Amino acid sequence: MNVMGDKATLFETGRFVQPSGEEPTRDEAAEAAEEARHRLQAEAGDVESMSVLGAMLLRRGDLDGAEPRLRAATAAGDRAAANNLGVLLHQRGYPEEAAGWWRIAAVAGSAAAAHALGRHHRERGDEPAAEYWLRQSAEQGHALGAYALADLLEHRGDTDAGQWMRAAAERGHREAAYRLARALDRRAAVSEGETGSDNGVDTETGAAETDEAEQWYRQAAARGHRRAALHLGAILEKRGELREAGRWYLTSAKDGEARAACALGFLLRDAGDTESAAVWWLRAAQDGDGNAANALGALHAERGETQTAERWYRAAMDAGDDNGAYNLALLCAEQGRTAQAEQWYRRAAYAGHREAANALAVLLLQGGDTSGAEPWFSKAAEAGSVDAAFNLGILYAGRGEERVALHCYERAAAAGHTEAALQVGIARLREGDEAAAERHLRCAAGGGSAEAAYRLAAVLDARRPAVSEHELGESSLNVKTECEEWYERAATQGHRRAQVRVGMLAAARGDVVEAARWYRTAAEAGSRNGAFNLGLLLAREGSEPEAAVWWERAADAGHGRAALRLALVYARRGELAVGQRWADRAVALGPAEVTERAGRLRDALREELSA
């Protein structure tokens, strides 16, 4: 019976131990003097001194010295002595005889003996007898009896278990406080999962249970429960109270809780103290914490120490952490060791690691194994990998299975995947469902997609009232609209068509400087429309030579109107041959209107040259 090792169980009265189960610190000389006093009184026939002396000797491990004292006190009717005699006999390996003395003490009203007797019966499988004696102990206010009764009832699924677990916790039993906190935590999680936010009742209940759980964790942690300290640290960290969280993690880690040492390492890393973080990760990893081993692996990988990183990733795998295999695969992939990367991805994927399954599928797809990639994408997507759902959509789209691809994109978009939301938006635009398209494009644009921001702006732009504009896009509009704001967002992210459009809208407001800035940005990034419009703007401002430079860049990139403009410039300068060459280019590039005009100009220049 492990509980027999608890001094609070061994010695039932408050004469020797605190009710909390913690021994008071005593001066050795004073204790020796007290022992001598009780020894003299016991030899003089004082029953209470016999009992106390026997308890003191038992506590010290002097079983031979304690037994005659306890037997003498028991024979005189001291129930505490009877209980401690049972403890002594149990330690000597005589459980049945021990139970006999516990029964005598329990019948006489000893709560500690009733608890010991209940534990004795439970170990022998006699649950009815165990419950009877544990209930006797618990109802007398014995914390260990209440805890043991709660544990028995919980094992049977009895609803009264919670009542007695709470009673034990309230009487200072730290394990009971921890288990009560865990139960409240689980109930709060269920409440949060089921709340529909219609009436708020479940939410309030869950919050109250979470707060109460924290208090019980705090009580258990204060009494030295290392797992309670770990959970308390996690609660405080989640709430942003990092300093106090770190203190509880440290307390738990010093008591040997590897998960706390690992968590403390992450706190220190986030605070910029990588060296201290590594110390705690090392301690946790050496105690078998796979997460800490992974953290060490990542730390060494960042430093370029790949062999050490690989060693720690393997240690994580040995600790049963599938992330170790996944991280090892990533390391191999970065080094170009594709075969080994595939091997480790497979190991992690077969163990249920969804991101490893997705990465394996990508690797297979890159190697041309489409049929091998598809089932892994599917498996990862079913396990909740958003990237896998999107990648599966790309796979189906590449086969021309647009409806299936759209379903995959919708699944990923619903989980917040930006590019998937863009693809759904584009599909809805093709179908003519502008409302649905706008909704998805807004999601994707809000997630940072420049293409989505541009397409959303285009949708909003198309709704604006028609205005008369000339080639530069000037109009009477002077106020920025929502569509322009989205164009600008895309433009600042480097979207060239958006940059050109922002330039046109700025020109429409009469802001030539802003328009030129955006046209130049787009042109320098390779936009032929940006180069063409910048040329128009410069020509209007009287800088035709510089305009010709940009038109030439646009024409070389295939812009027919730019080629036509160059043909006109060179014709006006009298450089007819050059003008004819650009007119030929404009005819070839089009569009139809440009082809027609450039053809007439070319013919005119040809006649002029042949005259």
Side-chain angles (χ1 to χ4, degrees):
M1 294 175 66
N2 294 332
V3 74
M4 292 296 102
D6 190 323
K7 299 296 190 298
T9 305
L10 296 181
F11 315 120
E12 78 166 337
T13 69
R15 292 175 293 193
F16 308 113
V17 292
Q18 297 175 348
S20 65
E22 297 174 356
E23 290 188 74
T25 303
R26 306 186 61 175
D27 182 80
E28 289 184 6
E31 190 168 332
E34 184 180 358
E35 181 181 332
R37 179 174 61 83
H38 283 301
R39 190 178 294 277
L40 287 173
Q41 292 176 350
E43 289 173 355
D46 186 272
V47 174
E48 183 176 349
S49 289
M50 292 178 195
S51 179
V52 172
L53 180 59
M56 294 177 76
L57 294 170
L58 177 59
R59 174 164 41 200
R60 202 161 61 215
D62 183 0
L63 303 189
D64 291 336
E67 185 171 351
R69 308 291 181 178
L70 293 175
R71 285 192 181 275
T74 299
D78 189 292
R79 70 181 187 185
N83 174 55
N84 288 335
L85 180 57
V87 172
L88 184 148
L89 292 167
H90 188 276
Q91 289 183 10
R92 285 194 184 278
Y94 302 110
E96 296 305 325
E97 188 179 352
W101 289 113
W102 282 330
R103 181 180 297 275
I104 290 171
V107 169
S110 170
H115 164 250
L117 189 57
R119 289 294 302 269
H120 171 80
H121 284 298
R122 188 176 182 190
E123 287 174 0
R124 276 149 184 75
D126 188 353
E127 289 200 358
E131 182 181 350
Y132 174 82
W133 288 111
L134 291 175
R135 195 175 291 276
Q136 293 293 317
S137 175
E139 288 175 351
Q140 291 180 65
H142 195 273
L144 292 171
Y147 175 72
L149 177 60
D151 187 67
L152 175 64
L153 295 174
E154 186 174 271
H155 176 71
R156 290 210 311 244
D158 194 312
T159 55
D160 286 343
Q163 162 198 341
W164 289 110
M165 193 68 76
R166 183 178 292 275
E170 289 171 348
R171 292 165 189 168
H173 194 290
R174 70 182 189 185
E175 183 66 24
Y178 171 71
R179 287 178 63 173
L180 179 58
R182 296 295 295 146
L184 288 165
D185 249 352
R186 287 190 291 269
R187 276 164 33 195
V190 170
S191 295
E192 290 175 8
E194 292 180 350
T195 181
S197 72
D198 291 335
N199 50 34
V201 175
D202 288 337
T203 304
E204 292 174 7
T205 301
E209 288 173 335
T210 299
D211 291 342
E212 187 182 0
E214 180 181 342
Q215 295 309 311
W216 288 115
Y217 280 136
R218 195 175 288 277
Q219 178 172 311
R223 292 180 179 276
H225 197 292
R226 70 187 192 188
R227 284 174 295 163
L230 167 66
H231 285 284
L232 180 57
I235 289 170
L236 293 165
E237 182 182 1
K238 185 177 180 181
R239 206 158 61 208
E241 299 175 25
L242 303 184
R243 187 178 294 277
E244 189 180 359
R247 285 201 299 271
W248 285 112
Y249 283 148
L250 179 60
T251 298
S252 181
K254 284 181 175 178
D255 285 340
E257 182 59 55
R259 290 174 296 169
C262 180
L264 180 59
F266 282 111
L267 271 189
L268 290 166
R269 182 205 63 182
D270 293 343
D273 190 354
T274 309
E275 293 306 315
S276 295
V279 170
W280 287 105
W281 282 334
L282 178 60
R283 182 168 174 172
Q286 288 173 338
D287 286 339
D289 189 281
N291 196 21
N294 271 314
L296 282 172
L299 182 64
H300 287 289
E302 287 172 7
R303 295 172 176 172
E305 300 165 357
T306 55
Q307 287 186 334
T308 307
E310 183 170 336
R311 179 167 61 84
W312 282 114
Y313 288 147
R314 288 179 182 275
M317 284 192 295
D318 292 341
D321 193 322
D322 299 329
N323 285 319
Y326 176 63
N327 289 333
L328 186 53
L330 291 174
L331 188 67
C332 292
E334 288 174 4
Q335 296 172 335
R337 295 153 59 193
T338 306
Q340 289 176 288
E342 181 180 340
Q343 170 194 347
W344 296 118
Y345 279 141
R346 282 189 185 278
R347 174 166 173 170
Y350 277 121
H353 195 295
R354 66 189 187 189
E355 296 310 324
N358 178 60
L360 174 59
V362 170
L363 195 67
L364 293 170
L365 195 60
Q366 289 171 343
D369 187 359
T370 306
S371 60
E374 183 179 345
W376 285 112
F377 277 139
S378 296
K379 185 174 182 179
E382 287 168 5
S385 171
V386 181
D387 287 338
F390 176 69
N391 289 336
L392 199 55
I394 293 175
L395 192 66
Y396 285 123
R399 294 177 183 169
E401 300 178 43
E402 297 295 341
R403 297 310 305 172
V404 184
L406 180 58
H407 175 72
C408 294
Y409 290 145
E410 287 175 331
R411 182 175 177 180
H417 195 287
T418 298
E419 290 304 311
L422 169 63
Q423 294 303 319
V424 176
I426 293 171
R428 295 302 179 217
L429 279 177
R430 284 198 301 265
E431 295 169 358
D433 188 349
E434 192 173 289
E438 181 181 342
R439 186 171 66 253
H440 282 95
L441 290 173
R442 282 187 184 277
C443 289
S449 170
E451 181 65 24
Y454 172 74
R455 287 178 180 268
L456 174 60
V459 169
L460 299 172
D461 203 2
R463 296 177 188 165
R464 296 198 307 162
V467 292
S468 115
E469 296 182 330
H470 71 41
E471 225 167 6
L472 287 174
E474 291 180 343
S475 76
S476 60
L477 296 176
N478 295 310
V479 180
K480 282 187 179 182
T481 61
E482 186 189 3
C483 78
E484 186 168 0
E485 291 174 355
W486 283 112
Y487 277 135
E488 285 186 357
R489 180 179 293 195
T492 55
Q493 291 176 258
H495 195 287
R496 291 183 301 182
R497 284 178 295 168
Q499 290 167 345
V500 173
R501 188 61 183 148
V502 170
M504 293 176 67
L505 291 170
R509 292 195 309 273
D511 190 344
V512 177
V513 173
E514 182 75 357
R517 180 172 74 86
W518 284 113
Y519 288 151
R520 190 178 298 276
T521 299
E524 289 174 349
S527 169
R528 63 187 186 185
N529 286 329
F532 174 68
N533 282 5
L534 179 58
L536 292 176
L537 201 63
L538 291 167
R540 184 180 176 190
E541 296 297 312
S543 300
E544 189 174 85
E546 187 180 354
V549 172
W550 289 106
W551 282 333
E552 186 169 343
R553 180 180 292 191
D556 286 341
H559 199 289
R561 285 189 173 85
L564 177 57
R565 288 278 177 174
L566 284 169
L568 291 169
V569 166
Y570 284 109
R572 284 197 300 270
R573 291 179 183 174
E575 299 180 37
L576 304 184
V578 179
Q580 182 183 347
R581 189 168 67 251
W582 280 114
D584 283 338
R585 184 74 186 278
V587 169
L589 293 173
E593 176 192 352
V594 170
T595 297
E596 183 182 349
R597 290 177 59 193
R600 291 198 300 268
L601 177 60
R602 180 190 58 189
D603 293 342
L605 291 173
R606 186 176 294 149
E607 289 178 9
E608 189 73 21
L609 284 168
S610 61

